[in-house]
Amino acid sequence: MSMSIRNQLPGTVTAVHPGEVMATVKIRLDGGQQLTAAITEEATKELRLAEGTPVHALVKATEVSLATAPVDHISIRNQLAGTISEITMGTAMASVKVAVAGAEVTSAITHESAAELKLAEGDSVVALIKSTEVSLATA
């Protein structure tokens, strides 16, 4: 199946923390980074998620925010450090590709935000992704 979701990050489940309705799933991405997904308990059962399960973490580019440094005191669980490999500036939006260990993450942000942050290829940034915006797929 082909998808329009730009960010399809391979990894392995390291822990599943069930809840009454939602579960948190900890994933070690192939590049070594840690990622947390908050998905329904029903989905964890349907996907048969357990420690060691190979998965792909799926994140729409519009759900990836960027910061120019790690952010403390924030509820966003996922902060992936990387380097900007490419920027495409449009009239309203910018597409920013960030090389992270073992993968690439694409962020779609406003032109205004990219300009205010003075983003340029080669800059260090942190991709911020809420755990509720991470979907999981199994093979």
Side-chain angles (χ1 to χ4, degrees), residues 6-106:
R6 295 296 83 205
N7 301 305
Q8 301 180 29
L9 308 170
T12 304
V13 173
T14 59
V16 178
H17 301 285
E20 293 173 359
V21 176
M22 298 289 288
T24 57
V25 180
K26 302 288 186 179
I27 302 142
R28 182 181 179 276
L29 298 178
D30 286 357
Q33 315 91 320
Q34 299 298 312
L35 196 70
T36 300
I39 63 174
T40 65
E41 184 63 32
E42 181 180 6
T44 64
K45 291 175 184 170
E46 287 176 4
L47 293 172
R48 297 185 181 107
L49 297 179
E51 187 175 336
T53 303
V55 294
H56 276 81
L58 309 172
V59 183
K60 290 175 60 175
T62 53
E63 300 302 332
V64 179
S65 297
L66 297 176
T68 56
V71 182
D72 292 329
H73 310 296
I74 190 168
S75 65
I76 296 174
R77 297 292 69 179
N78 302 305
Q79 297 192 34
L80 304 176
T83 303
I84 296 175
S85 58
E86 182 181 332
I87 297 178
T88 304
M89 295 291 276
T91 305
M93 298 293 291
S95 175
V96 183
K97 293 185 180 184
V98 180
V100 299
E104 182 175 75
V105 174
T106 300

